[in-house]
Amino acid sequence: MSNALQGVKCSVKNCKYNDAGSLCTASAIEVNVDGGGSSARQSQETNCKTFQTSM
Ligand code: SF4
């Protein structure tokens, strides 16, 4: 049984917290707007600040 965050689906396979290509095993995540600010118009303008490369 994975310790993945409930309800979080992530496809960033090269993140060290990613498990099985869809689960996040970080203790918590921070999501920000691309380029700063606090208003995104679409999901593509958001990103996970907690990401860390697995390489
Ligand atoms: S930390 Fe962010 S990028 Fe990494 S697996 Fe979790 S949600 Fe995905």
Side-chain angles (χ1 to χ4, degrees):
M1 185 80 177
S2 168
N3 61 340
L5 286 173
Q6 292 291 312
V8 174
K9 178 182 176 184
C10 178
S11 60
V12 185
K13 291 183 179 179
N14 71 322
C15 177
K16 77 174 193 177
Y17 296 115
N18 193 286
D19 185 29
S22 61
L23 303 174
C24 177
T25 61
S27 58
I29 62 170
E30 176 181 343
V31 178
N32 292 325
V33 179
D34 284 342
S38 58
S39 180
R41 289 169 296 182
Q42 54 189 340
S43 60
Q44 289 91 334
E45 294 179 358
T46 65
N47 66 81
C48 179
K49 185 76 172 177
T50 310
F51 166 83
Q52 286 189 40
T53 182
S54 58
M55 298 175 201

mmCIF file of all heavy atoms in Angstrom:
data_model
loop_
_atom_site.group_PDB
_atom_site.id
_atom_site.type_symbol
_atom_site.label_atom_id
_atom_site.label_comp_id
_atom_site.label_asym_id
_atom_site.label_seq_id
_atom_site.Cartn_x
_atom_site.Cartn_y
_atom_site.Cartn_z
ATOM 1 N N MET A 1 0.849 -1.201 0.000
ATOM 2 C CA MET A 1 0.000 0.000 0.000
ATOM 3 C C MET A 1 0.879 1.244 0.000
ATOM 4 O O MET A 1 1.761 1.403 0.822
ATOM 5 C CB MET A 1 -0.912 -0.030 1.232
ATOM 6 C CG MET A 1 -1.934 1.101 1.289
ATOM 7 S SD MET A 1 -3.342 0.760 0.256
ATOM 8 C CE MET A 1 -4.355 2.177 0.615
ATOM 9 N N SER A 2 0.664 2.112 -0.936
ATOM 10 C CA SER A 2 1.439 3.339 -1.061
ATOM 11 C C SER A 2 0.967 4.375 -0.050
ATOM 12 O O SER A 2 -0.187 4.374 0.371
ATOM 13 C CB SER A 2 1.268 3.880 -2.484
ATOM 14 O OG SER A 2 1.766 5.183 -2.571
ATOM 15 N N ASN A 3 1.909 5.272 0.330
ATOM 16 C CA ASN A 3 1.528 6.382 1.205
ATOM 17 C C ASN A 3 1.180 7.608 0.372
ATOM 18 O O ASN A 3 1.486 8.736 0.743
ATOM 19 C CB ASN A 3 2.644 6.693 2.201
ATOM 20 C CG ASN A 3 3.937 7.104 1.504
ATOM 21 O OD1 ASN A 3 4.122 6.803 0.324
ATOM 22 N ND2 ASN A 3 4.809 7.781 2.211
ATOM 23 N N ALA A 4 0.558 7.409 -0.766
ATOM 24 C CA ALA A 4 0.232 8.492 -1.688
ATOM 25 C C ALA A 4 -0.816 9.435 -1.102
ATOM 26 O O ALA A 4 -1.670 9.025 -0.307
ATOM 27 C CB ALA A 4 -0.271 7.916 -3.001
ATOM 28 N N LEU A 5 -0.723 10.682 -1.534
ATOM 29 C CA LEU A 5 -1.723 11.672 -1.124
ATOM 30 C C LEU A 5 -3.074 11.296 -1.713
ATOM 31 O O LEU A 5 -3.208 11.080 -2.915
ATOM 32 C CB LEU A 5 -1.323 13.065 -1.633
ATOM 33 C CG LEU A 5 -0.169 13.747 -0.914
ATOM 34 C CD1 LEU A 5 0.210 15.042 -1.634
ATOM 35 C CD2 LEU A 5 -0.535 14.041 0.529
ATOM 36 N N GLN A 6 -4.062 11.199 -0.866
ATOM 37 C CA GLN A 6 -5.401 10.848 -1.312
ATOM 38 C C GLN A 6 -5.959 11.928 -2.229
ATOM 39 O O GLN A 6 -5.882 13.120 -1.916
ATOM 40 C CB GLN A 6 -6.335 10.677 -0.111
ATOM 41 C CG GLN A 6 -6.014 9.489 0.759
ATOM 42 C CD GLN A 6 -6.298 8.162 0.049
ATOM 43 O OE1 GLN A 6 -7.358 7.990 -0.530
ATOM 44 N NE2 GLN A 6 -5.328 7.264 0.086
ATOM 45 N N GLY A 7 -6.483 11.520 -3.371
ATOM 46 C CA GLY A 7 -7.148 12.459 -4.254
ATOM 47 C C GLY A 7 -6.234 13.244 -5.168
ATOM 48 O O GLY A 7 -6.708 14.071 -5.939
ATOM 49 N N VAL A 8 -4.917 12.998 -5.082
ATOM 50 C CA VAL A 8 -3.982 13.708 -5.961
ATOM 51 C C VAL A 8 -3.514 12.753 -7.055
ATOM 52 O O VAL A 8 -2.953 11.697 -6.768
ATOM 53 C CB VAL A 8 -2.757 14.235 -5.180
ATOM 54 C CG1 VAL A 8 -1.728 14.839 -6.134
ATOM 55 C CG2 VAL A 8 -3.196 15.269 -4.154
ATOM 56 N N LYS A 9 -3.756 13.128 -8.305
ATOM 57 C CA LYS A 9 -3.300 12.354 -9.447
ATOM 58 C C LYS A 9 -2.250 13.182 -10.175
ATOM 59 O O LYS A 9 -2.499 14.339 -10.517
ATOM 60 C CB LYS A 9 -4.466 12.041 -10.385
ATOM 61 C CG LYS A 9 -4.062 11.268 -11.626
ATOM 62 C CD LYS A 9 -5.276 11.039 -12.513
ATOM 63 C CE LYS A 9 -4.868 10.340 -13.801
ATOM 64 N NZ LYS A 9 -6.017 10.181 -14.718
ATOM 65 N N CYS A 10 -1.069 12.616 -10.393
ATOM 66 C CA CYS A 10 0.006 13.354 -11.035
ATOM 67 C C CYS A 10 0.703 12.472 -12.065
ATOM 68 O O CYS A 10 1.068 11.336 -11.773
ATOM 69 C CB CYS A 10 1.007 13.825 -9.990
ATOM 70 S SG CYS A 10 2.400 14.694 -10.764
ATOM 71 N N SER A 11 0.912 13.003 -13.252
ATOM 72 C CA SER A 11 1.525 12.225 -14.334
ATOM 73 C C SER A 11 2.994 12.582 -14.569
ATOM 74 O O SER A 11 3.589 12.157 -15.558
ATOM 75 C CB SER A 11 0.734 12.425 -15.626
ATOM 76 O OG SER A 11 0.736 13.798 -15.992
ATOM 77 N N VAL A 12 3.587 13.346 -13.651
ATOM 78 C CA VAL A 12 4.996 13.757 -13.811
ATOM 79 C C VAL A 12 5.903 12.610 -13.347
ATOM 80 O O VAL A 12 6.306 12.522 -12.184
ATOM 81 C CB VAL A 12 5.288 15.046 -13.016
ATOM 82 C CG1 VAL A 12 6.724 15.515 -13.290
ATOM 83 C CG2 VAL A 12 4.301 16.132 -13.387
ATOM 84 N N LYS A 13 6.231 11.740 -14.263
ATOM 85 C CA LYS A 13 6.935 10.498 -13.905
ATOM 86 C C LYS A 13 8.357 10.717 -13.412
ATOM 87 O O LYS A 13 8.897 9.878 -12.688
ATOM 88 C CB LYS A 13 6.951 9.548 -15.112
ATOM 89 C CG LYS A 13 5.584 8.994 -15.451
ATOM 90 C CD LYS A 13 5.686 7.998 -16.602
ATOM 91 C CE LYS A 13 4.311 7.427 -16.928
ATOM 92 N NZ LYS A 13 4.376 6.483 -18.067
ATOM 93 N N ASN A 14 8.999 11.822 -13.796
ATOM 94 C CA ASN A 14 10.390 12.011 -13.369
ATOM 95 C C ASN A 14 10.510 12.816 -12.078
ATOM 96 O O ASN A 14 11.591 13.264 -11.718
ATOM 97 C CB ASN A 14 11.220 12.657 -14.477
ATOM 98 C CG ASN A 14 10.861 14.108 -14.711
ATOM 99 O OD1 ASN A 14 9.685 14.464 -14.639
ATOM 100 N ND2 ASN A 14 11.845 14.943 -14.967
ATOM 101 N N CYS A 15 9.404 12.966 -11.356
ATOM 102 C CA CYS A 15 9.466 13.585 -10.020
ATOM 103 C C CYS A 15 9.798 12.494 -9.007
ATOM 104 O O CYS A 15 9.256 11.387 -9.068
ATOM 105 C CB CYS A 15 8.132 14.235 -9.658
ATOM 106 S SG CYS A 15 8.118 14.932 -7.996
ATOM 107 N N LYS A 16 10.680 12.810 -8.062
ATOM 108 C CA LYS A 16 11.087 11.786 -7.089
ATOM 109 C C LYS A 16 9.926 11.355 -6.191
ATOM 110 O O LYS A 16 9.999 10.311 -5.555
ATOM 111 C CB LYS A 16 12.265 12.268 -6.246
ATOM 112 C CG LYS A 16 11.941 13.260 -5.148
ATOM 113 C CD LYS A 16 13.201 13.519 -4.324
ATOM 114 C CE LYS A 16 12.890 14.240 -3.038
ATOM 115 N NZ LYS A 16 14.097 14.436 -2.207
ATOM 116 N N TYR A 17 8.865 12.139 -6.132
ATOM 117 C CA TYR A 17 7.712 11.778 -5.304
ATOM 118 C C TYR A 17 6.662 10.976 -6.067
ATOM 119 O O TYR A 17 5.691 10.516 -5.484
ATOM 120 C CB TYR A 17 7.054 13.043 -4.744
ATOM 121 C CG TYR A 17 7.931 13.812 -3.812
ATOM 122 C CD1 TYR A 17 8.368 15.093 -4.140
ATOM 123 C CD2 TYR A 17 8.321 13.270 -2.592
ATOM 124 C CE1 TYR A 17 9.193 15.808 -3.283
ATOM 125 C CE2 TYR A 17 9.144 13.977 -1.726
ATOM 126 C CZ TYR A 17 9.575 15.253 -2.081
ATOM 127 O OH TYR A 17 10.384 15.951 -1.229
ATOM 128 N N ASN A 18 6.843 10.824 -7.383
ATOM 129 C CA ASN A 18 5.841 10.115 -8.180
ATOM 130 C C ASN A 18 5.968 8.605 -8.012
ATOM 131 O O ASN A 18 7.059 8.056 -8.007
ATOM 132 C CB ASN A 18 5.978 10.502 -9.656
ATOM 133 C CG ASN A 18 4.773 10.052 -10.459
ATOM 134 O OD1 ASN A 18 4.603 8.874 -10.738
ATOM 135 N ND2 ASN A 18 3.934 11.001 -10.809
ATOM 136 N N ASP A 19 4.850 7.950 -7.854
ATOM 137 C CA ASP A 19 4.821 6.497 -7.739
ATOM 138 C C ASP A 19 3.832 5.948 -8.768
ATOM 139 O O ASP A 19 2.694 6.437 -8.862
ATOM 140 C CB ASP A 19 4.384 6.095 -6.326
ATOM 141 C CG ASP A 19 4.441 4.586 -6.115
ATOM 142 O OD1 ASP A 19 5.272 3.923 -6.755
ATOM 143 O OD2 ASP A 19 3.644 4.076 -5.303
ATOM 144 N N ALA A 20 4.271 5.006 -9.539
ATOM 145 C CA ALA A 20 3.420 4.319 -10.525
ATOM 146 C C ALA A 20 2.905 5.239 -11.619
ATOM 147 O O ALA A 20 1.921 4.918 -12.284
ATOM 148 C CB ALA A 20 2.255 3.622 -9.821
ATOM 149 N N GLY A 21 3.561 6.389 -11.802
ATOM 150 C CA GLY A 21 3.176 7.270 -12.897
ATOM 151 C C GLY A 21 1.916 8.072 -12.679
ATOM 152 O O GLY A 21 1.512 8.853 -13.538
ATOM 153 N N SER A 22 1.293 7.922 -11.518
ATOM 154 C CA SER A 22 0.054 8.674 -11.298
ATOM 155 C C SER A 22 -0.171 9.087 -9.847
ATOM 156 O O SER A 22 -1.075 9.864 -9.559
ATOM 157 C CB SER A 22 -1.152 7.847 -11.751
ATOM 158 O OG SER A 22 -1.229 6.654 -11.004
ATOM 159 N N LEU A 23 0.662 8.564 -8.925
ATOM 160 C CA LEU A 23 0.453 8.860 -7.504
ATOM 161 C C LEU A 23 1.539 9.789 -6.971
ATOM 162 O O LEU A 23 2.678 9.740 -7.414
ATOM 163 C CB LEU A 23 0.458 7.569 -6.687
ATOM 164 C CG LEU A 23 -0.552 6.511 -7.095
ATOM 165 C CD1 LEU A 23 -0.338 5.235 -6.306
ATOM 166 C CD2 LEU A 23 -1.972 7.032 -6.911
ATOM 167 N N CYS A 24 1.182 10.636 -5.998
ATOM 168 C CA CYS A 24 2.140 11.539 -5.356
ATOM 169 C C CYS A 24 2.385 11.079 -3.926
ATOM 170 O O CYS A 24 1.444 10.964 -3.138
ATOM 171 C CB CYS A 24 1.604 12.967 -5.355
ATOM 172 S SG CYS A 24 2.701 14.115 -4.491
ATOM 173 N N THR A 25 3.654 10.839 -3.579
ATOM 174 C CA THR A 25 3.973 10.353 -2.233
ATOM 175 C C THR A 25 4.584 11.436 -1.342
ATOM 176 O O THR A 25 5.085 11.133 -0.261
ATOM 177 C CB THR A 25 4.947 9.158 -2.307
ATOM 178 O OG1 THR A 25 6.155 9.593 -2.932
ATOM 179 C CG2 THR A 25 4.348 8.003 -3.099
ATOM 180 N N ALA A 26 4.546 12.691 -1.783
ATOM 181 C CA ALA A 26 5.022 13.785 -0.924
ATOM 182 C C ALA A 26 4.086 13.912 0.289
ATOM 183 O O ALA A 26 2.937 13.474 0.258
ATOM 184 C CB ALA A 26 5.037 15.086 -1.720
ATOM 185 N N SER A 27 4.589 14.510 1.373
ATOM 186 C CA SER A 27 3.743 14.681 2.559
ATOM 187 C C SER A 27 2.699 15.763 2.342
ATOM 188 O O SER A 27 1.627 15.759 2.952
ATOM 189 C CB SER A 27 4.599 15.013 3.776
ATOM 190 O OG SER A 27 5.348 16.182 3.544
ATOM 191 N N ALA A 28 3.009 16.697 1.436
ATOM 192 C CA ALA A 28 2.092 17.774 1.062
ATOM 193 C C ALA A 28 2.626 18.367 -0.233
ATOM 194 O O ALA A 28 3.791 18.169 -0.572
ATOM 195 C CB ALA A 28 2.027 18.849 2.144
ATOM 196 N N ILE A 29 1.794 19.070 -0.976
ATOM 197 C CA ILE A 29 2.275 19.715 -2.196
ATOM 198 C C ILE A 29 1.890 21.178 -2.204
ATOM 199 O O ILE A 29 0.921 21.584 -1.560
ATOM 200 C CB ILE A 29 1.745 19.027 -3.482
ATOM 201 C CG1 ILE A 29 0.218 19.087 -3.561
ATOM 202 C CG2 ILE A 29 2.259 17.614 -3.598
ATOM 203 C CD1 ILE A 29 -0.347 18.644 -4.903
ATOM 204 N N GLU A 30 2.678 21.960 -2.953
ATOM 205 C CA GLU A 30 2.384 23.378 -3.146
ATOM 206 C C GLU A 30 2.195 23.607 -4.645
ATOM 207 O O GLU A 30 3.049 23.231 -5.449
ATOM 208 C CB GLU A 30 3.535 24.240 -2.636
ATOM 209 C CG GLU A 30 3.317 25.733 -2.894
ATOM 210 C CD GLU A 30 4.480 26.598 -2.411
ATOM 211 O OE1 GLU A 30 5.293 26.111 -1.606
ATOM 212 O OE2 GLU A 30 4.552 27.748 -2.847
ATOM 213 N N VAL A 31 1.096 24.218 -5.017
ATOM 214 C CA VAL A 31 0.793 24.487 -6.423
ATOM 215 C C VAL A 31 0.688 25.998 -6.623
ATOM 216 O O VAL A 31 -0.003 26.689 -5.858
ATOM 217 C CB VAL A 31 -0.525 23.814 -6.847
ATOM 218 C CG1 VAL A 31 -0.845 24.134 -8.297
ATOM 219 C CG2 VAL A 31 -0.443 22.307 -6.639
ATOM 220 N N ASN A 32 1.405 26.484 -7.647
ATOM 221 C CA ASN A 32 1.417 27.920 -7.918
ATOM 222 C C ASN A 32 1.008 28.214 -9.351
ATOM 223 O O ASN A 32 0.901 27.308 -10.185
ATOM 224 C CB ASN A 32 2.820 28.477 -7.682
ATOM 225 C CG ASN A 32 3.213 28.436 -6.223
ATOM 226 O OD1 ASN A 32 2.372 28.622 -5.348
ATOM 227 N ND2 ASN A 32 4.466 28.162 -5.949
ATOM 228 N N VAL A 33 0.805 29.513 -9.635
ATOM 229 C CA VAL A 33 0.501 29.977 -10.982
ATOM 230 C C VAL A 33 1.808 30.181 -11.734
ATOM 231 O O VAL A 33 2.761 30.763 -11.202
ATOM 232 C CB VAL A 33 -0.276 31.308 -10.939
ATOM 233 C CG1 VAL A 33 -0.562 31.807 -12.353
ATOM 234 C CG2 VAL A 33 -1.569 31.142 -10.155
ATOM 235 N N ASP A 34 1.872 29.680 -12.969
ATOM 236 C CA ASP A 34 3.046 29.910 -13.803
ATOM 237 C C ASP A 34 3.312 31.407 -13.915
ATOM 238 O O ASP A 34 2.402 32.179 -14.192
ATOM 239 C CB ASP A 34 2.827 29.359 -15.214
ATOM 240 C CG ASP A 34 2.956 27.853 -15.276
ATOM 241 O OD1 ASP A 34 3.533 27.267 -14.343
ATOM 242 O OD2 ASP A 34 2.468 27.269 -16.265
ATOM 243 N N GLY A 35 4.552 31.820 -13.720
ATOM 244 C CA GLY A 35 4.919 33.214 -13.875
ATOM 245 C C GLY A 35 4.558 34.086 -12.683
ATOM 246 O O GLY A 35 4.721 35.300 -12.733
ATOM 247 N N GLY A 36 4.043 33.508 -11.623
ATOM 248 C CA GLY A 36 3.719 34.267 -10.422
ATOM 249 C C GLY A 36 2.274 34.739 -10.395
ATOM 250 O O GLY A 36 1.474 34.428 -11.275
ATOM 251 N N GLY A 37 1.955 35.495 -9.380
ATOM 252 C CA GLY A 37 0.591 35.975 -9.213
ATOM 253 C C GLY A 37 -0.297 34.938 -8.551
ATOM 254 O O GLY A 37 0.168 33.895 -8.094
ATOM 255 N N SER A 38 -1.582 35.224 -8.502
ATOM 256 C CA SER A 38 -2.505 34.315 -7.810
ATOM 257 C C SER A 38 -3.748 34.014 -8.634
ATOM 258 O O SER A 38 -4.772 33.586 -8.100
ATOM 259 C CB SER A 38 -2.913 34.927 -6.464
ATOM 260 O OG SER A 38 -3.515 36.187 -6.671
ATOM 261 N N SER A 39 -3.665 34.230 -9.950
ATOM 262 C CA SER A 39 -4.835 33.978 -10.787
ATOM 263 C C SER A 39 -4.434 33.244 -12.062
ATOM 264 O O SER A 39 -3.653 33.758 -12.866
ATOM 265 C CB SER A 39 -5.516 35.304 -11.142
ATOM 266 O OG SER A 39 -6.647 35.077 -11.954
ATOM 267 N N ALA A 40 -4.962 32.020 -12.234
ATOM 268 C CA ALA A 40 -4.719 31.247 -13.457
ATOM 269 C C ALA A 40 -6.013 31.187 -14.266
ATOM 270 O O ALA A 40 -7.105 31.126 -13.713
ATOM 271 C CB ALA A 40 -4.248 29.842 -13.108
ATOM 272 N N ARG A 41 -5.888 31.202 -15.587
ATOM 273 C CA ARG A 41 -7.072 31.127 -16.445
ATOM 274 C C ARG A 41 -7.406 29.706 -16.842
ATOM 275 O O ARG A 41 -8.534 29.401 -17.194
ATOM 276 C CB ARG A 41 -6.847 31.979 -17.702
ATOM 277 C CG ARG A 41 -6.849 33.465 -17.436
ATOM 278 C CD ARG A 41 -6.361 34.235 -18.637
ATOM 279 N NE ARG A 41 -4.958 33.902 -18.902
ATOM 280 C CZ ARG A 41 -4.235 34.449 -19.873
ATOM 281 N NH1 ARG A 41 -4.761 35.346 -20.680
ATOM 282 N NH2 ARG A 41 -2.980 34.111 -20.044
ATOM 283 N N GLN A 42 -6.402 28.830 -16.802
ATOM 284 C CA GLN A 42 -6.634 27.432 -17.168
ATOM 285 C C GLN A 42 -5.613 26.554 -16.458
ATOM 286 O O GLN A 42 -4.592 27.039 -15.970
ATOM 287 C CB GLN A 42 -6.554 27.257 -18.682
ATOM 288 C CG GLN A 42 -5.265 27.786 -19.294
ATOM 289 C CD GLN A 42 -5.318 27.792 -20.812
ATOM 290 O OE1 GLN A 42 -6.118 27.099 -21.418
ATOM 291 N NE2 GLN A 42 -4.447 28.574 -21.434
ATOM 292 N N SER A 43 -5.875 25.266 -16.403
ATOM 293 C CA SER A 43 -5.018 24.352 -15.643
ATOM 294 C C SER A 43 -3.576 24.366 -16.137
ATOM 295 O O SER A 43 -2.644 24.161 -15.350
ATOM 296 C CB SER A 43 -5.581 22.932 -15.695
ATOM 297 O OG SER A 43 -5.652 22.471 -17.027
ATOM 298 N N GLN A 44 -3.382 24.619 -17.432
ATOM 299 C CA GLN A 44 -2.024 24.635 -17.978
ATOM 300 C C GLN A 44 -1.178 25.744 -17.383
ATOM 301 O O GLN A 44 0.041 25.742 -17.528
ATOM 302 C CB GLN A 44 -2.060 24.785 -19.499
ATOM 303 C CG GLN A 44 -2.572 23.549 -20.220
ATOM 304 C CD GLN A 44 -4.068 23.566 -20.440
ATOM 305 O OE1 GLN A 44 -4.809 24.202 -19.682
ATOM 306 N NE2 GLN A 44 -4.526 22.871 -21.456
ATOM 307 N N GLU A 45 -1.803 26.711 -16.743
ATOM 308 C CA GLU A 45 -1.063 27.828 -16.158
ATOM 309 C C GLU A 45 -0.691 27.582 -14.695
ATOM 310 O O GLU A 45 -0.208 28.477 -14.012
ATOM 311 C CB GLU A 45 -1.887 29.112 -16.267
ATOM 312 C CG GLU A 45 -2.080 29.549 -17.709
ATOM 313 C CD GLU A 45 -2.920 30.810 -17.818
ATOM 314 O OE1 GLU A 45 -3.389 31.323 -16.786
ATOM 315 O OE2 GLU A 45 -3.102 31.270 -18.943
ATOM 316 N N THR A 46 -0.918 26.366 -14.219
ATOM 317 C CA THR A 46 -0.572 26.035 -12.839
ATOM 318 C C THR A 46 0.544 24.997 -12.829
ATOM 319 O O THR A 46 0.749 24.277 -13.800
ATOM 320 C CB THR A 46 -1.780 25.470 -12.074
ATOM 321 O OG1 THR A 46 -2.158 24.223 -12.647
ATOM 322 C CG2 THR A 46 -2.944 26.439 -12.110
ATOM 323 N N ASN A 47 1.283 24.931 -11.730
ATOM 324 C CA ASN A 47 2.379 23.973 -11.644
ATOM 325 C C ASN A 47 2.652 23.589 -10.205
ATOM 326 O O ASN A 47 2.326 24.331 -9.274
ATOM 327 C CB ASN A 47 3.647 24.558 -12.281
ATOM 328 C CG ASN A 47 4.178 25.731 -11.509
ATOM 329 O OD1 ASN A 47 4.859 25.557 -10.508
ATOM 330 N ND2 ASN A 47 3.839 26.936 -11.927
ATOM 331 N N CYS A 48 3.275 22.426 -10.042
ATOM 332 C CA CYS A 48 3.589 21.915 -8.706
ATOM 333 C C CYS A 48 4.968 22.386 -8.270
ATOM 334 O O CYS A 48 5.977 21.994 -8.851
ATOM 335 C CB CYS A 48 3.532 20.388 -8.699
ATOM 336 S SG CYS A 48 3.952 19.711 -7.091
ATOM 337 N N LYS A 49 5.008 23.200 -7.237
ATOM 338 C CA LYS A 49 6.263 23.734 -6.709
ATOM 339 C C LYS A 49 7.048 22.669 -5.946
ATOM 340 O O LYS A 49 8.251 22.795 -5.754
ATOM 341 C CB LYS A 49 5.940 24.908 -5.777
ATOM 342 C CG LYS A 49 7.122 25.654 -5.240
ATOM 343 C CD LYS A 49 7.715 26.554 -6.280
ATOM 344 C CE LYS A 49 8.793 27.441 -5.671
ATOM 345 N NZ LYS A 49 9.429 28.279 -6.686
ATOM 346 N N THR A 50 6.391 21.613 -5.524
ATOM 347 C CA THR A 50 7.033 20.564 -4.728
ATOM 348 C C THR A 50 7.863 19.619 -5.592
ATOM 349 O O THR A 50 8.694 18.873 -5.081
ATOM 350 C CB THR A 50 5.956 19.767 -3.967
ATOM 351 O OG1 THR A 50 5.093 20.694 -3.300
ATOM 352 C CG2 THR A 50 6.568 18.848 -2.921
ATOM 353 N N PHE A 51 7.678 19.662 -6.895
ATOM 354 C CA PHE A 51 8.410 18.791 -7.814
ATOM 355 C C PHE A 51 9.915 18.810 -7.539
ATOM 356 O O PHE A 51 10.502 19.873 -7.331
ATOM 357 C CB PHE A 51 8.176 19.230 -9.265
ATOM 358 C CG PHE A 51 9.140 18.612 -10.245
ATOM 359 C CD1 PHE A 51 8.900 17.355 -10.745
ATOM 360 C CD2 PHE A 51 10.297 19.279 -10.628
ATOM 361 C CE1 PHE A 51 9.791 16.757 -11.642
ATOM 362 C CE2 PHE A 51 11.190 18.709 -11.516
ATOM 363 C CZ PHE A 51 10.932 17.443 -12.020
ATOM 364 N N GLN A 52 10.514 17.624 -7.556
ATOM 365 C CA GLN A 52 11.973 17.498 -7.514
ATOM 366 C C GLN A 52 12.351 16.396 -8.486
ATOM 367 O O GLN A 52 11.747 15.313 -8.476
ATOM 368 C CB GLN A 52 12.471 17.131 -6.113
ATOM 369 C CG GLN A 52 12.409 18.279 -5.133
ATOM 370 C CD GLN A 52 13.111 17.938 -3.834
ATOM 371 O OE1 GLN A 52 14.168 17.315 -3.811
ATOM 372 N NE2 GLN A 52 12.504 18.333 -2.729
ATOM 373 N N THR A 53 13.343 16.668 -9.302
ATOM 374 C CA THR A 53 13.742 15.674 -10.292
ATOM 375 C C THR A 53 14.257 14.405 -9.613
ATOM 376 O O THR A 53 14.899 14.475 -8.564
ATOM 377 C CB THR A 53 14.806 16.242 -11.242
ATOM 378 O OG1 THR A 53 15.117 15.242 -12.212
ATOM 379 C CG2 THR A 53 16.062 16.641 -10.520
ATOM 380 N N SER A 54 13.956 13.291 -10.210
ATOM 381 C CA SER A 54 14.380 12.013 -9.636
ATOM 382 C C SER A 54 15.763 11.621 -10.120
ATOM 383 O O SER A 54 16.290 10.587 -9.744
ATOM 384 C CB SER A 54 13.376 10.923 -10.021
ATOM 385 O OG SER A 54 13.277 10.819 -11.425
ATOM 386 N N MET A 55 16.362 12.447 -10.985
ATOM 387 C CA MET A 55 17.685 12.115 -11.532
ATOM 388 C C MET A 55 18.798 12.744 -10.713
ATOM 389 O O MET A 55 18.596 13.674 -10.008
ATOM 390 C CB MET A 55 17.772 12.593 -12.966
ATOM 391 C CG MET A 55 16.753 11.899 -13.839
ATOM 392 S SD MET A 55 16.753 12.562 -15.503
ATOM 393 C CE MET A 55 15.129 12.064 -16.040
HETATM 394 S S1 SF4 B 1 5.391 16.506 -5.848
HETATM 395 FE FE1 SF4 B 1 4.125 17.448 -7.462
HETATM 396 S S2 SF4 B 1 5.107 16.820 -9.382
HETATM 397 FE FE2 SF4 B 1 5.858 15.477 -7.774
HETATM 398 S S3 SF4 B 1 4.529 13.658 -7.823
HETATM 399 FE FE3 SF4 B 1 3.699 15.097 -6.302
HETATM 400 S S4 SF4 B 1 2.177 16.314 -7.405
HETATM 401 FE FE4 SF4 B 1 3.505 15.330 -8.923
#
